[in-house]
Each structure stands twice: as structure tokens, then as C-alpha cells.
Amino acid sequence: MAEYQLYCFAQSGNAYRAALMLNLIGADWEPRFVDFFKGETRTPEYRANVNEMGEAPVLVHRGRKLTQSGVILSYLAKLSGRFKPEGEDAELEALRWIIFDNQKVNGYLGPYRFLRIFAKPAGDPAVLAFLKGRIDNNLAILDKRLAAGPYIVGQRPTIADLSLVAYLYYPADEFGFDIAAQHKNVAAWLERIKALPRWKHPYDLMPGHPLPQG
Ligand SMILES: N[C@@H](CCC(=O)N[C@@H](CS)C(=O)NCC(=O)O)C(=O)O
């Protein structure tokens, strides 16, 4: 058995944050497929035994079960010393962007994409329009931040970057608009993260893609 197990599935940008970090630091890890589209996270068993919040990702390591990708990223950064914001100011700044990401950047992008391409029936157009307005605004904030420097905090990649890329490598047709084409600084930053050794696309890193038809 590998040192780390990660409950995850390919379509989950939230899980991708943790999977990418594990891969980039060269950890000995294995995915544990979560059958999200069949409702596994909503089962009493999952909530009782895996995560009371009913979510993926969940990281299992040395008897611990950690949830919330921001917590998992912080844990792995502390343990490995990699992608760790150095010093209190950088730590707080990284946390600030991770929370903004969870709530406002990928926090809207994930449900937007879900309602567009996975939900049955598909999302209400008014809800989609509301989310798209928030997404455009928040991606512009991210783009402006990246105009000022190569990474979110300082001159090297940290867990704040690995959080914020969560959904941004998924294909443009899943969103119905091209994030990289519309946000040039985001596009260049995505290329910088992609160039890191052991980077992998979410569909190549986690199980469950493509989804079975039907
Ligand atoms: N803030 C959480 C979000 C986790 C999350 O929402 N995960 C989704 C999958 S992408 C989930 O498991 N949702 C459960 C459900 O909707 O039942 C994190 O960053 O880990």
C-alpha cells in the first residue's frame, strides 16, 4: 500500500489540488476512486467513515484523515517543505488567496461547470448567468494579481498557486468559454505551473475519465 491514499475522481478540481501537490512533491500516493456521479459522497457510509462533510478530496496518511483541500495542501507543505510559503506574512497571504479561491474563484467555477455539463437536468440559465458574472469578475482579480508577479505569493510557486489552478486546466468546452484566451496573465502562469516536474493534467492524474456513457 502506498504511503498516502487520496479519495478523488478525475472531474474534481477540488481533488486535483491535492493530487497535483502529491505528484509534484514526488510522494508515494495512490488514488482511491470516489464514485461521485453515482452519489457515493452522499451515502451514510461515506459520511460516517470517510468525511462527515460529504466531500472529496480526503487524504489518508499515517492514521489521519484530512479533508478540505486547503488543509491538505498546508499539511503536505509543512511535511515536505515544498511549495511552502516562507514566513508569517507569506503564510497569511497564501491563506488569504486559498480562501478567496475556495469561495470565489474555483468555488464558483466548479458549480458552474457542473451545472453546464454534468447536472441532469442542466442548470437554470439565470443561475448560470449569475455564476458567470461572478466568475468573470474573480478571474479578472486573479489576472491582475498575476500581472504583478509570476506567482500568487512571491517569486516561486506555493500552495496558493496549486489551489488556484484547481479547475483551470479542464477543457474550455466544459466551461463554454476559454479562460486562458481571455486572461493573458492567467494563461502565462498556467504554463509556468505546467512546466513544473511531474505536473499532470487532472484527467491523467486521477481515475474516472472519461465518464461512462448513459
Ligand atoms: N472546499 C472543499 C470543496 C470540496 C468539494 O466541494 N468537493 C466536491 C467534489 S468536486 C464534493 O465532494 N461535493 C460533494 C457533493 O456535492 O455531494 C475543498 O476544497 O476540499
PDB file of all heavy atoms in Angstrom, residues 2-5 18-30 59 61 76 79-80 82 198:
ATOM      1  N   ALA A   2       0.456   2.251  -0.776  1.00  0.00           N
ATOM      2  CA  ALA A   2       1.234   3.495  -0.847  1.00  0.00           C
ATOM      3  C   ALA A   2       1.147   4.258   0.485  1.00  0.00           C
ATOM      4  O   ALA A   2       0.243   4.028   1.291  1.00  0.00           O
ATOM      5  CB  ALA A   2       0.684   4.355  -1.974  1.00  0.00           C
ATOM      6  N   GLU A   3       2.086   5.174   0.672  1.00  0.00           N
ATOM      7  CA  GLU A   3       2.106   5.941   1.933  1.00  0.00           C
ATOM      8  C   GLU A   3       0.855   6.823   2.088  1.00  0.00           C
ATOM      9  O   GLU A   3       0.327   6.978   3.187  1.00  0.00           O
ATOM     10  CB  GLU A   3       3.364   6.817   1.978  1.00  0.00           C
ATOM     11  CG  GLU A   3       3.483   7.574   3.285  1.00  0.00           C
ATOM     12  CD  GLU A   3       4.705   8.482   3.375  1.00  0.00           C
ATOM     13  OE1 GLU A   3       5.528   8.518   2.428  1.00  0.00           O
ATOM     14  OE2 GLU A   3       4.807   9.181   4.408  1.00  0.00           O
ATOM     15  N   TYR A   4       0.418   7.421   0.983  1.00  0.00           N
ATOM     16  CA  TYR A   4      -0.761   8.287   1.026  1.00  0.00           C
ATOM     17  C   TYR A   4      -1.868   7.682   0.154  1.00  0.00           C
ATOM     18  O   TYR A   4      -1.587   7.196  -0.950  1.00  0.00           O
ATOM     19  CB  TYR A   4      -0.460   9.657   0.407  1.00  0.00           C
ATOM     20  CG  TYR A   4       0.561  10.499   1.124  1.00  0.00           C
ATOM     21  CD1 TYR A   4       1.922  10.390   0.801  1.00  0.00           C
ATOM     22  CD2 TYR A   4       0.186  11.430   2.080  1.00  0.00           C
ATOM     23  CE1 TYR A   4       2.865  11.187   1.426  1.00  0.00           C
ATOM     24  CE2 TYR A   4       1.128  12.236   2.707  1.00  0.00           C
ATOM     25  CZ  TYR A   4       2.466  12.108   2.377  1.00  0.00           C
ATOM     26  OH  TYR A   4       3.405  12.897   2.994  1.00  0.00           O
ATOM     27  N   GLN A   5      -3.109   7.767   0.646  1.00  0.00           N
ATOM     28  CA  GLN A   5      -4.269   7.464  -0.207  1.00  0.00           C
ATOM     29  C   GLN A   5      -5.081   8.750  -0.344  1.00  0.00           C
ATOM     30  O   GLN A   5      -5.292   9.457   0.646  1.00  0.00           O
ATOM     31  CB  GLN A   5      -5.185   6.410   0.419  1.00  0.00           C
ATOM     32  CG  GLN A   5      -4.686   4.975   0.305  1.00  0.00           C
ATOM     33  CD  GLN A   5      -3.678   4.663   1.389  1.00  0.00           C
ATOM     34  OE1 GLN A   5      -3.910   5.000   2.541  1.00  0.00           O
ATOM     35  NE2 GLN A   5      -2.569   4.056   1.001  1.00  0.00           N
ATOM     36  N   ALA A  18      -5.007  18.550  -4.411  1.00  0.00           N
ATOM     37  CA  ALA A  18      -4.264  17.630  -3.552  1.00  0.00           C
ATOM     38  C   ALA A  18      -3.465  16.627  -4.390  1.00  0.00           C
ATOM     39  O   ALA A  18      -2.302  16.335  -4.087  1.00  0.00           O
ATOM     40  CB  ALA A  18      -5.231  16.902  -2.636  1.00  0.00           C
ATOM     41  N   ALA A  19      -4.088  16.117  -5.460  1.00  0.00           N
ATOM     42  CA  ALA A  19      -3.401  15.129  -6.311  1.00  0.00           C
ATOM     43  C   ALA A  19      -2.169  15.763  -6.961  1.00  0.00           C
ATOM     44  O   ALA A  19      -1.096  15.151  -7.036  1.00  0.00           O
ATOM     45  CB  ALA A  19      -4.370  14.616  -7.370  1.00  0.00           C
ATOM     46  N   LEU A  20      -2.326  16.994  -7.423  1.00  0.00           N
ATOM     47  CA  LEU A  20      -1.199  17.673  -8.080  1.00  0.00           C
ATOM     48  C   LEU A  20      -0.060  17.890  -7.088  1.00  0.00           C
ATOM     49  O   LEU A  20       1.109  17.624  -7.395  1.00  0.00           O
ATOM     50  CB  LEU A  20      -1.682  19.006  -8.667  1.00  0.00           C
ATOM     51  CG  LEU A  20      -0.618  19.814  -9.407  1.00  0.00           C
ATOM     52  CD1 LEU A  20      -0.062  19.037 -10.603  1.00  0.00           C
ATOM     53  CD2 LEU A  20      -1.179  21.162  -9.875  1.00  0.00           C
ATOM     54  N   MET A  21      -0.400  18.355  -5.895  1.00  0.00           N
ATOM     55  CA  MET A  21       0.626  18.583  -4.869  1.00  0.00           C
ATOM     56  C   MET A  21       1.368  17.276  -4.580  1.00  0.00           C
ATOM     57  O   MET A  21       2.599  17.244  -4.540  1.00  0.00           O
ATOM     58  CB  MET A  21      -0.049  19.125  -3.599  1.00  0.00           C
ATOM     59  CG  MET A  21       0.873  19.268  -2.404  1.00  0.00           C
ATOM     60  SD  MET A  21       1.911  20.734  -2.539  1.00  0.00           S
ATOM     61  CE  MET A  21       2.758  20.702  -0.947  1.00  0.00           C
ATOM     62  N   LEU A  22       0.618  16.187  -4.376  1.00  0.00           N
ATOM     63  CA  LEU A  22       1.248  14.899  -4.083  1.00  0.00           C
ATOM     64  C   LEU A  22       2.201  14.506  -5.206  1.00  0.00           C
ATOM     65  O   LEU A  22       3.315  14.026  -4.971  1.00  0.00           O
ATOM     66  CB  LEU A  22       0.177  13.814  -3.896  1.00  0.00           C
ATOM     67  CG  LEU A  22      -0.611  13.862  -2.587  1.00  0.00           C
ATOM     68  CD1 LEU A  22      -1.879  13.021  -2.689  1.00  0.00           C
ATOM     69  CD2 LEU A  22       0.247  13.387  -1.401  1.00  0.00           C
ATOM     70  N   ASN A  23       1.769  14.728  -6.429  1.00  0.00           N
ATOM     71  CA  ASN A  23       2.617  14.328  -7.557  1.00  0.00           C
ATOM     72  C   ASN A  23       3.848  15.216  -7.671  1.00  0.00           C
ATOM     73  O   ASN A  23       4.954  14.737  -7.910  1.00  0.00           O
ATOM     74  CB  ASN A  23       1.803  14.369  -8.850  1.00  0.00           C
ATOM     75  CG  ASN A  23       1.967  13.105  -9.617  1.00  0.00           C
ATOM     76  OD1 ASN A  23       1.788  12.025  -9.071  1.00  0.00           O
ATOM     77  ND2 ASN A  23       2.343  13.206 -10.885  1.00  0.00           N
ATOM     78  N   LEU A  24       3.642  16.521  -7.503  1.00  0.00           N
ATOM     79  CA  LEU A  24       4.762  17.457  -7.653  1.00  0.00           C
ATOM     80  C   LEU A  24       5.839  17.229  -6.596  1.00  0.00           C
ATOM     81  O   LEU A  24       7.025  17.431  -6.862  1.00  0.00           O
ATOM     82  CB  LEU A  24       4.262  18.907  -7.570  1.00  0.00           C
ATOM     83  CG  LEU A  24       3.403  19.413  -8.730  1.00  0.00           C
ATOM     84  CD1 LEU A  24       2.921  20.839  -8.456  1.00  0.00           C
ATOM     85  CD2 LEU A  24       4.142  19.365 -10.056  1.00  0.00           C
ATOM     86  N   ILE A  25       5.422  16.816  -5.391  1.00  0.00           N
ATOM     87  CA  ILE A  25       6.438  16.600  -4.347  1.00  0.00           C
ATOM     88  C   ILE A  25       7.018  15.183  -4.425  1.00  0.00           C
ATOM     89  O   ILE A  25       7.856  14.801  -3.624  1.00  0.00           O
ATOM     90  CB  ILE A  25       5.909  16.898  -2.920  1.00  0.00           C
ATOM     91  CG1 ILE A  25       4.832  15.898  -2.472  1.00  0.00           C
ATOM     92  CG2 ILE A  25       5.402  18.338  -2.815  1.00  0.00           C
ATOM     93  CD1 ILE A  25       4.356  16.092  -1.021  1.00  0.00           C
ATOM     94  N   GLY A  26       6.555  14.404  -5.394  1.00  0.00           N
ATOM     95  CA  GLY A  26       7.092  13.053  -5.583  1.00  0.00           C
ATOM     96  C   GLY A  26       6.655  12.100  -4.488  1.00  0.00           C
ATOM     97  O   GLY A  26       7.373  11.138  -4.172  1.00  0.00           O
ATOM     98  N   ALA A  27       5.483  12.340  -3.890  1.00  0.00           N
ATOM     99  CA  ALA A  27       5.010  11.473  -2.801  1.00  0.00           C
ATOM    100  C   ALA A  27       4.620  10.095  -3.337  1.00  0.00           C
ATOM    101  O   ALA A  27       4.250   9.947  -4.504  1.00  0.00           O
ATOM    102  CB  ALA A  27       3.798  12.118  -2.115  1.00  0.00           C
ATOM    103  N   ASP A  28       4.702   9.119  -2.452  1.00  0.00           N
ATOM    104  CA  ASP A  28       4.245   7.764  -2.767  1.00  0.00           C
ATOM    105  C   ASP A  28       2.743   7.740  -2.452  1.00  0.00           C
ATOM    106  O   ASP A  28       2.349   7.628  -1.297  1.00  0.00           O
ATOM    107  CB  ASP A  28       5.023   6.784  -1.879  1.00  0.00           C
ATOM    108  CG  ASP A  28       4.512   5.359  -1.991  1.00  0.00           C
ATOM    109  OD1 ASP A  28       3.971   5.011  -3.055  1.00  0.00           O
ATOM    110  OD2 ASP A  28       4.633   4.608  -0.996  1.00  0.00           O
ATOM    111  N   TRP A  29       1.924   7.922  -3.502  1.00  0.00           N
ATOM    112  CA  TRP A  29       0.478   8.045  -3.247  1.00  0.00           C
ATOM    113  C   TRP A  29      -0.309   7.224  -4.247  1.00  0.00           C
ATOM    114  O   TRP A  29       0.180   6.895  -5.328  1.00  0.00           O
ATOM    115  CB  TRP A  29       0.044   9.511  -3.303  1.00  0.00           C
ATOM    116  CG  TRP A  29      -0.035  10.123  -4.678  1.00  0.00           C
ATOM    117  CD1 TRP A  29       1.018  10.581  -5.416  1.00  0.00           C
ATOM    118  CD2 TRP A  29      -1.214  10.353  -5.458  1.00  0.00           C
ATOM    119  NE1 TRP A  29       0.566  11.090  -6.613  1.00  0.00           N
ATOM    120  CE2 TRP A  29      -0.796  10.971  -6.668  1.00  0.00           C
ATOM    121  CE3 TRP A  29      -2.576  10.116  -5.267  1.00  0.00           C
ATOM    122  CZ2 TRP A  29      -1.699  11.329  -7.677  1.00  0.00           C
ATOM    123  CZ3 TRP A  29      -3.472  10.483  -6.264  1.00  0.00           C
ATOM    124  CH2 TRP A  29      -3.032  11.083  -7.451  1.00  0.00           C
ATOM    125  N   GLU A  30      -1.521   6.893  -3.828  1.00  0.00           N
ATOM    126  CA  GLU A  30      -2.422   6.189  -4.744  1.00  0.00           C
ATOM    127  C   GLU A  30      -3.819   6.789  -4.625  1.00  0.00           C
ATOM    128  O   GLU A  30      -4.226   7.207  -3.536  1.00  0.00           O
ATOM    129  CB  GLU A  30      -2.452   4.684  -4.438  1.00  0.00           C
ATOM    130  CG  GLU A  30      -2.994   4.366  -3.075  1.00  0.00           C
ATOM    131  CD  GLU A  30      -2.777   2.906  -2.673  1.00  0.00           C
ATOM    132  OE1 GLU A  30      -2.101   2.167  -3.395  1.00  0.00           O
ATOM    133  OE2 GLU A  30      -3.286   2.532  -1.600  1.00  0.00           O
ATOM    134  N   LEU A  59      -7.573  12.986   2.292  1.00  0.00           N
ATOM    135  CA  LEU A  59      -6.227  12.414   2.286  1.00  0.00           C
ATOM    136  C   LEU A  59      -6.047  11.537   3.515  1.00  0.00           C
ATOM    137  O   LEU A  59      -6.291  11.981   4.638  1.00  0.00           O
ATOM    138  CB  LEU A  59      -5.169  13.533   2.312  1.00  0.00           C
ATOM    139  CG  LEU A  59      -3.714  13.039   2.250  1.00  0.00           C
ATOM    140  CD1 LEU A  59      -3.370  12.508   0.852  1.00  0.00           C
ATOM    141  CD2 LEU A  59      -2.733  14.138   2.642  1.00  0.00           C
ATOM    142  N   HIS A  61      -3.337   9.517   5.705  1.00  0.00           N
ATOM    143  CA  HIS A  61      -1.893   9.447   5.914  1.00  0.00           C
ATOM    144  C   HIS A  61      -1.602   9.175   7.381  1.00  0.00           C
ATOM    145  O   HIS A  61      -2.034   9.927   8.259  1.00  0.00           O
ATOM    146  CB  HIS A  61      -1.223  10.772   5.496  1.00  0.00           C
ATOM    147  CG  HIS A  61       0.271  10.707   5.571  1.00  0.00           C
ATOM    148  ND1 HIS A  61       1.038  11.653   6.218  1.00  0.00           N
ATOM    149  CD2 HIS A  61       1.139   9.795   5.071  1.00  0.00           C
ATOM    150  CE1 HIS A  61       2.316  11.337   6.104  1.00  0.00           C
ATOM    151  NE2 HIS A  61       2.408  10.212   5.413  1.00  0.00           N
ATOM    152  N   LEU A  76       0.696  19.013   3.611  1.00  0.00           N
ATOM    153  CA  LEU A  76       1.754  18.457   2.758  1.00  0.00           C
ATOM    154  C   LEU A  76       2.923  19.430   2.621  1.00  0.00           C
ATOM    155  O   LEU A  76       4.090  19.009   2.543  1.00  0.00           O
ATOM    156  CB  LEU A  76       1.187  18.099   1.382  1.00  0.00           C
ATOM    157  CG  LEU A  76       0.189  16.925   1.374  1.00  0.00           C
ATOM    158  CD1 LEU A  76      -0.462  16.770   0.004  1.00  0.00           C
ATOM    159  CD2 LEU A  76       0.894  15.612   1.783  1.00  0.00           C
ATOM    160  N   LEU A  79       4.932  19.158   5.852  1.00  0.00           N
ATOM    161  CA  LEU A  79       5.627  17.878   5.943  1.00  0.00           C
ATOM    162  C   LEU A  79       6.804  17.789   4.964  1.00  0.00           C
ATOM    163  O   LEU A  79       7.869  17.281   5.306  1.00  0.00           O
ATOM    164  CB  LEU A  79       4.605  16.773   5.626  1.00  0.00           C
ATOM    165  CG  LEU A  79       4.727  15.467   6.344  1.00  0.00           C
ATOM    166  CD1 LEU A  79       4.566  15.680   7.842  1.00  0.00           C
ATOM    167  CD2 LEU A  79       3.611  14.528   5.852  1.00  0.00           C
ATOM    168  N   SER A  80       6.589  18.291   3.764  1.00  0.00           N
ATOM    169  CA  SER A  80       7.605  18.115   2.718  1.00  0.00           C
ATOM    170  C   SER A  80       8.536  19.313   2.608  1.00  0.00           C
ATOM    171  O   SER A  80       9.619  19.209   2.026  1.00  0.00           O
ATOM    172  CB  SER A  80       6.910  17.921   1.361  1.00  0.00           C
ATOM    173  OG  SER A  80       6.271  19.131   0.973  1.00  0.00           O
ATOM    174  N   ARG A  82       7.910  21.656   0.694  1.00  0.00           N
ATOM    175  CA  ARG A  82       7.790  22.105  -0.697  1.00  0.00           C
ATOM    176  C   ARG A  82       6.531  22.959  -0.874  1.00  0.00           C
ATOM    177  O   ARG A  82       5.511  22.709  -0.254  1.00  0.00           O
ATOM    178  CB  ARG A  82       7.693  20.886  -1.635  1.00  0.00           C
ATOM    179  CG  ARG A  82       8.838  19.891  -1.497  1.00  0.00           C
ATOM    180  CD  ARG A  82      10.067  20.307  -2.251  1.00  0.00           C
ATOM    181  NE  ARG A  82       9.760  20.823  -3.568  1.00  0.00           N
ATOM    182  CZ  ARG A  82       9.468  20.081  -4.636  1.00  0.00           C
ATOM    183  NH1 ARG A  82       9.448  18.768  -4.544  1.00  0.00           N
ATOM    184  NH2 ARG A  82       9.223  20.647  -5.795  1.00  0.00           N
ATOM    185  N   ARG A 198       6.863  16.691 -13.052  1.00  0.00           N
ATOM    186  CA  ARG A 198       5.799  15.771 -12.610  1.00  0.00           C
ATOM    187  C   ARG A 198       4.398  16.372 -12.661  1.00  0.00           C
ATOM    188  O   ARG A 198       3.458  15.780 -12.144  1.00  0.00           O
ATOM    189  CB  ARG A 198       6.063  15.203 -11.205  1.00  0.00           C
ATOM    190  CG  ARG A 198       7.221  14.210 -11.144  1.00  0.00           C
ATOM    191  CD  ARG A 198       7.373  13.585  -9.768  1.00  0.00           C
ATOM    192  NE  ARG A 198       7.751  14.553  -8.769  1.00  0.00           N
ATOM    193  CZ  ARG A 198       9.010  14.875  -8.469  1.00  0.00           C
ATOM    194  NH1 ARG A 198       9.998  14.262  -9.085  1.00  0.00           N
ATOM    195  NH2 ARG A 198       9.255  15.775  -7.546  1.00  0.00           N
TER     196      ARG A 198
END
